[in-house]
Amino acid sequence: MMKKFLDLGRQPIANAYLTKEDFANEFFYNLEVGFDEETKLVSLINQIKPEKMFVDDYPYHSSSSSTMKNHFKEAAQTIKTIFGNDVRVLEIGSNDGVFLKNFDKNKAVAVEPCKNFAQMTNEMGYRTYDEFWTESLAEKICGENGSFDVVYSANCLCHMPSVFDAYKAIFKVLKSGGTLISECPSMFSVLKNTAYDQLYNEHPHLLSLTSTNNLLKEAGFSMINSTDLECHGGSYRVFAGKGNYFAQIDGLDKEKLAGLHEFSTYERFAQKVEKSKTLLRGILEGVGGKTISYGATAKSSTVFNYCGIDSSLISYIVDTTKEKQGKFSPGVHIPIISREEANFDDVSHIFLGAWNYLKEIREKEKTFNGNFITHVPFPNILPSA
Ligand code: TYD
């Protein structure tokens, strides 16, 4: 049974950037979050249909940061090292091909429902199915390509309406000794960092190792191993094989100690989230000068809409993504401009909409004389580097 523990209020579609003409028809929903006592899975109570989010001009590029480009290159190298250069890989959620491009064109197949990206990787020479991941698509892919040694999926299974159904479909395309490798933001890190901004419409579920393990078992898999990753502010990579066997997973013990299987842990998290909102508003109202935000991220859409932060507190957002520039952020309608258009001479503070790339941003903005503000792990003005 799902029990509600958090209400982040009225929220827009996080990656739907708008023109002024779009304001009147903007879609909102109530972002409430619950915990399933049986599977231990954290999920949004009101879920948005995938067709409304993963549209044909979807603006999020996985290669929009050098951090993620390096990450996917390393992930591909790890797979080749473990499984050999001839490994046959199916990627689910291939976005702009940042992972795929590290494999031979005849060894990797992809699934990507956003047609803009599917077209891009098809043109790069990788067979890409522009459909949502389902059991019937799994059967079709298997029929046309045979089964795979590895299914890789990064930041994608948590986007799906049913993670369990996604696992069942993956079971169908994997060879009998095949391996599922899945990466997703970790609930453990969300709790540790009070990173409530990982909660938005595109993440109908936030997975812990505990819930992942329960769902995998139910779908006929066993978790073989897990690794903690730094990306997206704390993720994990899970390896799972078909069948029923035992492996010692240290992360599961760590999560048990931290109480990720207990509802009361999430109730305490909700209290911290409320405190975070009060503190962040206090900082932004108190700093004076001009504050802007760095990265028009889906995460910052949750923060701004939950905390009621609009252009009276954040003058504009800079972002490198062409499709976002010249538009307004969802819900609170803060203008988005390119870094080149922005002049930081009169900017006293930068809020880190993309706090997960702090190192990369500091590196790029060495000449910025003001201070960065973050809300993670608690609202704070960071000392100059
Ligand atoms: P990410 O945290 O991946 O976004 P989300 O919360 O939507 O998953 O951040 C990616 C966004 O940040 C993308 O729109 C590009 C932007 N960005 C910049 O504009 N400049 C930068 O230096 C970096 C690292 C990211």
Side-chain angles (χ1 to χ4, degrees):
M1 199 195 53
M2 177 106 96
K3 283 167 78 177
K4 177 176 150 181
F5 62 89
L6 181 64
D7 188 340
L8 293 170
R10 186 174 173 263
Q11 292 278 348
I13 299 288
N15 262 318
Y17 301 91
L18 305 99
T19 60
K20 278 194 177 150
E21 293 69 51
D22 301 325
F23 289 177
N25 295 320
E26 191 169 11
F27 175 86
F28 289 89
Y29 69 103
N30 210 48
L31 179 43
E32 295 171 303
V33 192
F35 174 73
D36 185 278
E37 290 278 15
E38 204 179 316
T39 60
K40 315 299 179 195
L41 181 64
V42 167
S43 304
L44 304 196
I45 292 170
N46 306 311
Q47 300 195 0
I48 308 298
K49 282 199 171 5
E51 294 79 7
K52 201 168 173 65
M53 302 185 278
F54 303 109
V55 288
D56 295 343
D57 56 354
Y58 183 68
Y60 181 85
H61 288 249
S62 295
S63 52
S64 64
S65 72
S66 52
T67 310
M68 291 313 287
K69 272 195 249 179
N70 292 338
H71 170 75
F72 286 116
K73 196 170 170 189
E74 278 168 26
Q77 196 46 56
T78 303
I79 290 172
K80 286 183 192 167
T81 306
I82 300 175
F83 301 95
N85 283 335
D86 285 336
V87 62
R88 292 195 68 244
V89 181
L90 175 72
E91 184 183 17
I92 304 172
S94 51
N95 197 271
D96 57 12
V98 63
F99 168 80
L100 271 185
K101 69 179 183 195
N102 299 291
F103 291 88
D104 286 348
K105 297 188 172 57
N106 58 354
K107 301 260 166 54
V109 174
V111 174
E112 174 50 65
C114 299
K115 296 206 171 18
N116 51 340
F117 290 128
Q119 186 183 347
M120 203 185 269
T121 48
N122 267 317
E123 282 167 7
M124 282 158 65
Y126 295 93
R127 187 169 199 180
T128 308
Y129 291 82
D130 60 358
E131 293 173 50
F132 287 100
W133 180 242
T134 58
E135 281 196 59
S136 63
L137 177 61
E139 281 159 12
K140 179 165 109 182
I141 291 177
C142 243
E144 292 177 5
N145 304 274
S147 50
F148 293 84
D149 303 306
V150 167
V151 169
Y152 176 79
S153 187
N155 310 310
C156 183
L157 300 184
C158 59
H159 286 194
M160 297 191 185
S162 166
V163 183
F164 171 66
D165 287 349
Y167 288 154
K168 276 200 307 181
I170 291 169
F171 197 92
K172 294 206 157 165
V173 290
L174 273 177
K175 287 182 182 165
S176 63
T179 305
L180 160 64
I181 304 174
S182 164
E183 295 175 15
C184 277
S186 92
M187 192 65 222
F188 183 87
S189 300
V190 168
L191 292 177
K192 192 175 83 182
N193 294 323
T194 318
Y196 64 90
D197 50 350
Q198 285 291 6
L199 291 158
Y200 53 90
N201 54 284
E202 282 181 22
H203 291 164
H205 312 285
L206 276 186
L207 288 152
S208 59
L209 285 178
T210 311
S211 56
T212 301
N213 193 39
N214 292 338
L215 293 165
L216 279 171
K217 267 197 224 157
E218 195 68 27
F221 285 98
S222 296
M223 206 188 278
I224 304 166
N225 195 3
S226 81
T227 328
D228 291 338
L229 303 171
E230 276 184 16
C231 49
H232 292 293
S235 302
Y236 58 68
R237 177 181 291 155
V238 166
F239 294 74
K242 287 169 105 170
N244 187 5
Y245 43 87
F246 176 77
Q248 176 64 41
I249 311 288
D250 293 343
L252 284 172
D253 297 335
K254 190 170 83 173
E255 287 196 352
K256 191 151 197 190
L257 272 174
L260 268 83
H261 59 300
E262 287 169 341
F263 183 67
S264 56
T265 303
Y266 300 89
E267 287 181 304
R268 282 196 298 279
F269 167 71
Q271 288 164 6
K272 283 164 84 179
V273 171
E274 216 174 312
K275 183 110 189 136
S276 174
K277 169 184 180 168
T278 312
L279 289 175
L280 180 62
R281 276 203 64 97
I283 289 177
L284 291 174
E285 282 165 355
V287 284
K290 186 175 194 169
T291 302
I292 65 112
S293 185
Y294 211 101
T297 57
K299 291 188 291 298
S300 63
S301 175
T302 295
V303 175
F304 293 158
N305 285 282
Y306 172 60
C307 300
I309 294 165
D310 59 17
S311 52
S312 65
L313 291 172
I314 302 273
S315 302
Y316 57 81
I317 305 173
V318 286
D319 197 285
T320 49
T321 315
K322 294 254 173 315
E323 292 90 329
K324 297 181 185 179
Q325 294 163 2
K327 296 205 171 157
F328 294 84
S329 73
V332 291
H333 304 161
I334 302 173
I336 304 166
I337 60 174
S338 69
R339 176 63 187 91
E340 293 70 34
E341 275 174 278
N343 177 357
F344 284 178
D345 289 350
D346 65 343
V347 172
S348 57
H349 294 86
I350 294 178
F351 175 73
L352 290 162
W355 56 268
N356 40 319
Y357 299 118
L358 173 60
K359 209 165 139 211
E360 186 174 335
I361 294 169
R362 270 207 204 274
E363 200 57 36
K364 278 187 198 162
E365 301 297 344
K366 279 196 180 121
T367 57
F368 172 58
N369 282 324
N371 288 90
F372 288 104
I373 296 175
T374 185
H375 67 293
V376 174
F378 52 86
N380 195 8
I381 303 176
L382 300 180
S384 308

